[in-house]
Amino acid sequence: MGKFIDKLSLNTKLCIVLAVVSCLVYANTLSNDYALDDVMMITGNHYVKQGFAGIPILLKTHHLEGFGANTVFDYYRPLSLVVFAIEYQFFGEKPFAAHLFHLFNILFFASCVVLLFLFLNKLFKGEQVIMAFIAALLFAVHSVHTEVVANIKSCDELLCFFFAFLSLNIFIDYSRQGRFYQLITGTFFFFIAILSKETAVTFLGVIPLVFFFYENENKKRSILITICAGLVVALFLVLWAYAQSRSEIQQPLTSILFKNPGSNSNEESLSFASKILILGYQLKLLFVPYPLNSNYSLSSLALVKFSDIEVLLSFIVYLFICVAGVFRIIKKNKDLVAFGILFYLVTLSLYANFVFPLGQPLANRYAFFPSVGFCILFAIAFNKWVVNTKTDVIAGLLSARSLIVLIPVLCFYSILTVARNKDWKDNYTLVMADLPKSGNNYIMEYKAGLEILNKSDAAPDSIEKARIINESIKHFSLSLLINPEYTESHSDIGVAYFRLNHYDSAEVHYKAVLRLNPLHLNACTNLGTMYFKLQRFGDAIVYYRKAVLLDSAVDIAWYNMGICYGRIQQLDSAILCMKKVVQIAPAYDEHKSFGNLAILYEMTGNADSARKYEQLTKQYFPDFVLRSSLK
C-alpha cells in the first residue's frame, strides 16, 4: 500500500486528501431524512416519482410543475430533477432512500472540491500548489455550505458547481492546447451546468475574467470560449421561455413573498438599504458563519434605512472591495487578489437582489459559488504571511507556523459544519433549531406551526391531538400577527381549525387565502372538503371545480365532487368525475371509485355498465353488492 501511495503524484495525493476531508465533515448527514424543499423536488414531485418515465416531461417544464400545476414559481432546472428521477427509479420507495440521496450529495460535493483544486492549480500554472490546496480545503470545511450539502434538494447547486468548474478546466486546456474538441466539450459541460441551475449564468462574467486577464496568451481562443458561453446562455433562455409557455402558472412567486409585511405600499422589492444590508450579512457569514438559518427574517430588513450604521458599513466595505478589485486587475492583469475579489462579486451578483427579486432574498446557499473568492483570498494571505514558500509543498503545509494557523481555522469551520449537519436531520428538527434564532420571522413561525400540526397525526388520543393542534395554532397566529397577508399561514391554520371541528374559523381563513391568492390550490380543495363534510354539496362542488381547473390531477377533488353530484342527483356529472378518478388515481380510497361507478350506472338504468364496474369492483371487494348509496 505504501509503495502504491508513493507512486501517486503530489496533486493526486492532495485530491485524495480533499475528497476524504469533504466526506468526513458531512458523514453525519448520512443518517438524515428529507427536509425543507425535498418534498417539492422528490417525495412530492409526481414527475420525479415516475422515475425514468418522468424524465421527458421534466425536460420540458419548469422545476416545480411536478409538485403541482399551480405552484407559483418559474425556474427551469431540469438536470437535478432528472438525477432525482433516476435515483428514485432505483431507490425511491425503499426506507433508506433518503440516506442514499445524502450519500450522493456528499460524493458530488467531494467532486466539486477536487475540481476547484484542479482549476486553481491550473490557473496558478502549478506554481502555487499550496494556495490552490488551502483554498479548496477551506471550501471543503466551510460551514456556510451546509445548506447545500445537507439538503438533498440542493443537488442542483452541486451539479451546477461541478459542471461549471469542469468546463473551466477544459476551457483552460483549450486555451493552452487549441484542440477543437476541448472547446466543444467545455461548451457542452457549461450547458449542463446551466441546466442544473441558473447560477452558472454568472460565468458569463467569470469566463472573460479568466480568459482575458489570466489565460490571455491566445486572444482568438479566449474570444471563441466567450462566444460559446454566450450562445449556451442564449439557448438556455430559449428553453426557459419554452418551459414557461407550457405552464399553467399565472402569478409569480415574488408577488407574494416580497410584499413587505405591515406595509401599505404595493412595493414588491426590498429597499436599496435592505439589499446593501443583505450583501453585508452574506460577507459576514463567510468570516463567521454563525448563527446559520434556513430562513432569515425579512420583517426587520423591511425597516432598515440607509443611515443605519450596519447599512453604511456594508456599503463602505463593498465599495472598497469593488474599487480594489478593479484597480488591482487594471494595474496587473494576473493579480490573484483581484481574481478572488472579482470572482466573489461576479458570482454574488445574481443573488444581490438588484438584478431581479429572489424567492428568498437571503440564504446560505447563495454563498456557495461566491465563497470560492473568499477561500482564494484566505489562501493567498496564508501563503504570503504564513508559508512563504514555493518549493516544498508538504513541508510548507506541515510546518509549525502553518499548523498553528490552519488547525484552529479548519477546526472552527469543521466543528460548526458537523454541528449544523445535525439540524438538517428532518423538517421538525431544522425548524425547531432555527426558530429561536429567527426573531420576528413570520415564515419560521408558520413552519413551526406546520411541523407541530403534522405531529398531531401520531397523537395517542384525542386529548393529546387537540393539545398539539392548539400549539400549532399559536405559531400560525404569531405568523399572521407579523404578516396578516401570508397566505400559507391562513391556509394551514384553517386546516388546524378544521381538525378541531371549528368550521367557522376554518372557513374564515380559507377564504382569506383565496382573497389574497385566488389561484391557491390547497385552499380551494380544503374549502370543498369542509363543505363536503358539512353536506353542503353545492358549495363543495363550486370549490372542487376551482381546484381541478387549477390542477386536473387532484384526485380527492374529483372523487368527492363525484359523490356530491351523486347526492344531488346529477348522475351524469357524478359518473364523469368518478371516471376521472379511475383514470388518474384508480387506487384512490382503496379502489372505491369502481364501486361508485357501478352504483351510479345502476341508478341511471345502464345495466351493462353497472355490471361491468361491479365485476371490476369485486377484484378488490369480493363481497361487493350493488346498492344505491355512494361511498
Side-chain angles (χ1 to χ4, degrees):
M1 186 67 178
K3 291 182 179 180
F4 173 76
I5 293 175
D6 289 339
K7 290 180 181 179
L8 297 177
S9 68
L10 174 63
N11 285 350
T12 302
K13 293 176 182 176
L14 295 178
C15 286
I16 292 172
V17 170
L18 291 170
V20 170
V21 170
S22 302
C23 292
L24 286 176
V25 292
Y26 286 99
N28 63 331
T29 65
L30 290 173
S31 62
N32 290 358
D33 207 331
Y34 299 109
L36 211 60
D37 293 341
D38 292 344
V39 63
M40 293 190 290
M41 302 297 144
I42 306 169
T43 58
N45 192 305
H46 57 264
Y47 295 151
V48 167
K49 292 174 74 174
Q50 291 175 23
F52 293 151
I55 292 176
I57 191 68
L58 289 172
L59 294 172
K60 296 186 290 187
T61 56
H62 66 85
H63 86 308
L64 283 183
E65 188 160 311
F67 182 63
N70 189 46
T71 304
V72 281
F73 225 112
D74 57 359
Y75 292 146
Y76 179 64
R77 303 169 181 171
L79 187 65
S80 61
L81 295 176
V82 169
V83 170
F84 291 145
I86 295 170
E87 292 173 348
Y88 204 91
Q89 177 74 35
F90 293 106
F91 313 113
E93 300 299 332
K94 293 180 172 60
F96 53 83
H99 309 315
L100 286 175
F101 288 160
H102 282 294
L103 174 62
F104 295 141
N105 262 28
I106 293 172
L107 296 177
F108 283 139
F109 178 66
S111 302
C112 290
V113 174
V114 170
L115 276 176
L116 174 61
F117 167 70
L118 294 176
F119 163 72
L120 293 176
N121 197 37
K122 283 185 180 181
L123 188 70
F124 302 157
K125 295 181 170 46
E127 298 173 355
Q128 302 286 355
V129 178
I130 290 179
M131 281 170 46
F133 177 75
I134 293 301
L137 185 62
L138 180 59
F139 184 86
V141 302
H142 203 298
S143 46
V144 81
H145 300 152
T146 50
E147 180 177 337
V148 171
V149 187
N151 186 198
I152 299 170
K153 169 266 170 194
S154 288
C155 178
D156 55 3
E157 199 82 57
L158 293 167
L159 290 170
C160 180
F161 190 101
F162 177 86
F163 287 110
F165 276 90
L166 180 59
S167 68
L168 278 182
N169 274 282
I170 297 172
F171 280 147
I172 288 180
D173 291 339
Y174 170 72
S175 71
R176 295 175 180 176
Q177 301 167 16
R179 298 188 176 98
F180 185 69
Y181 79 87
Q182 295 168 329
L183 176 64
I184 299 301
T185 307
T187 302
F188 171 76
F189 284 124
F190 182 58
F191 180 57
I192 298 298
I194 206 169
L195 288 181
S196 303
K197 194 173 182 182
E198 63 283 347
T199 307
V201 169
T202 60
F203 272 47
L204 277 184
V206 172
I207 286 172
L209 176 65
V210 171
F211 294 101
F212 286 100
F213 292 94
Y214 295 88
E215 289 288 326
N216 56 356
E217 285 76 12
N218 190 306
K219 294 293 192 296
K220 180 180 177 181
R221 294 173 189 170
S222 298
I223 292 171
L224 283 175
I225 291 170
T226 305
I227 290 174
C228 287
L231 291 174
V232 164
V233 173
L235 176 59
F236 168 74
L237 294 176
V238 170
L239 294 173
W240 190 352
Y242 171 71
Q244 292 309 301
S245 69
R246 300 183 72 259
S247 172
E248 300 176 26
I249 292 173
Q250 300 181 27
Q251 183 178 9
L253 179 67
T254 51
S255 66
I256 295 176
L257 287 190
F258 279 84
K259 189 172 289 184
N260 292 337
S263 171
N264 294 322
S265 168
N266 290 324
E267 177 66 32
E268 293 179 351
S269 62
L270 295 165
S271 69
F272 182 79
S274 299
K275 296 172 184 178
I276 294 295
L277 181 60
I278 288 172
L279 289 176
Y281 200 81
Q282 289 279 27
L283 188 58
K284 173 261 176 188
L285 286 175
L286 291 178
F287 286 93
V288 184
Y290 185 86
L292 296 175
N293 205 318
S294 57
N295 189 290
Y296 293 92
S297 173
L298 302 185
S299 303
S300 57
L301 292 176
L303 304 175
V304 300
K305 299 177 182 178
F306 198 81
S307 57
D308 291 354
I309 185 64
E310 289 181 325
V311 177
L312 284 173
L313 182 61
S314 177
F315 178 79
I316 292 169
V317 169
Y318 271 90
L319 180 63
F320 171 77
I321 62 176
C322 286
V323 171
V326 173
F327 175 78
R328 290 183 70 107
I329 202 168
I330 291 174
K331 183 179 179 182
K332 181 183 177 183
N333 278 357
K334 299 183 186 295
D335 184 83
L336 297 179
V337 172
F339 181 78
I341 292 173
L342 294 176
F343 187 97
Y344 171 79
L345 293 173
V346 169
T347 53
L348 185 65
S349 61
L350 198 64
Y351 299 111
N353 293 289
F354 292 108
V355 181
F356 54 82
L358 303 165
Q360 191 176 335
L362 177 61
N364 299 145
R365 62 186 178 275
Y366 298 165
F368 192 61
F369 273 79
S371 65
V372 170
F374 171 81
C375 294
I376 290 172
L377 294 174
F378 174 87
I380 292 171
F382 178 85
N383 188 61
K384 181 177 181 179
W385 295 322
V386 179
V387 179
N388 197 24
T389 179
K390 296 182 181 180
T391 53
D392 194 334
V393 174
I394 301 300
L397 287 172
L398 298 180
S399 68
R401 290 180 60 184
S402 295
L403 295 177
I404 287 172
V405 175
L406 267 186
I407 290 177
V409 170
L410 297 178
C411 286
F412 171 70
Y413 288 116
S414 298
I415 291 170
L416 289 178
T417 296
V418 173
R420 180 59 177 168
N421 289 340
K422 296 178 182 178
D423 293 341
W424 284 90
K425 178 176 177 55
D426 52 39
N427 264 356
Y428 181 83
T429 305
L430 179 65
V431 170
M432 293 308 160
D434 288 354
L435 185 62
K437 304 178 277 186
S438 298
N440 204 27
N441 189 330
Y442 64 91
I443 294 178
M444 288 305 298
E445 291 292 351
Y446 159 73
K447 289 184 175 182
L450 182 61
E451 292 307 315
I452 292 170
L453 181 62
N454 290 338
K455 286 194 169 292
S456 68
D457 294 332
D461 53 59
S462 59
I463 295 175
E464 178 63 12
K465 183 171 185 175
R467 185 196 67 78
I468 294 172
I469 294 173
N470 279 310
E471 182 68 21
S472 75
I473 288 173
K474 291 179 183 178
H475 288 283
F476 291 135
S477 299
L478 281 172
S479 175
L480 291 172
L481 186 65
I482 301 167
N483 182 5
E485 296 185 353
Y486 190 50
T487 55
E488 299 312 302
S489 288
H490 279 295
S491 178
D492 285 305
I493 198 174
V495 172
Y497 280 125
F498 178 79
R499 293 186 183 182
L500 292 174
N501 298 327
H502 297 173
Y503 300 121
D504 289 344
S505 296
E507 183 178 31
V508 167
H509 287 285
Y510 288 150
K511 289 189 173 179
V513 176
L514 295 177
R515 185 177 66 252
L516 294 165
N517 177 16
L519 303 179
H520 199 286
L521 176 62
N522 286 344
C524 292
T525 305
N526 290 337
L527 258 176
T529 301
M530 188 186 75
Y531 290 137
F532 175 76
K533 184 173 183 178
L534 294 173
Q535 298 189 23
R536 292 168 55 178
F537 299 122
D539 291 332
I541 288 170
V542 169
Y543 288 99
Y544 280 141
R545 288 181 67 181
K546 288 182 178 180
V548 297
L549 284 173
L550 292 170
D551 185 352
S552 60
V554 186
D555 46 18
I556 186 175
W558 286 111
Y559 185 83
N560 286 353
M561 186 161 52
I563 294 176
C564 290
Y565 276 124
R567 295 289 170 82
I568 63 176
Q569 297 301 307
Q570 294 187 24
L571 302 182
D572 289 342
S573 295
I575 289 171
L576 286 173
C577 291
M578 286 297 168
K579 280 191 169 182
K580 184 67 175 180
V581 179
V582 169
Q583 176 190 344
I584 64 174
Y588 181 79
D589 199 16
E590 300 178 335
H591 301 89
K592 288 179 183 176
S593 50
F594 292 99
N596 286 332
L597 277 169
I599 294 167
L600 288 167
Y601 276 121
E602 180 75 11
M603 293 168 69
T604 61
N606 188 335
D608 290 342
S609 294
R611 299 298 173 269
K612 170 188 171 183
Y613 281 99
E614 180 183 19
Q615 294 305 312
L616 289 172
T617 305
K618 286 186 175 181
Q619 296 177 18
Y620 311 106
F621 304 97
D623 299 329
F624 174 78
V625 178
L626 276 175
R627 58 172 77 84
S628 59
S629 61
L630 300 173
K631 296 290 186 182

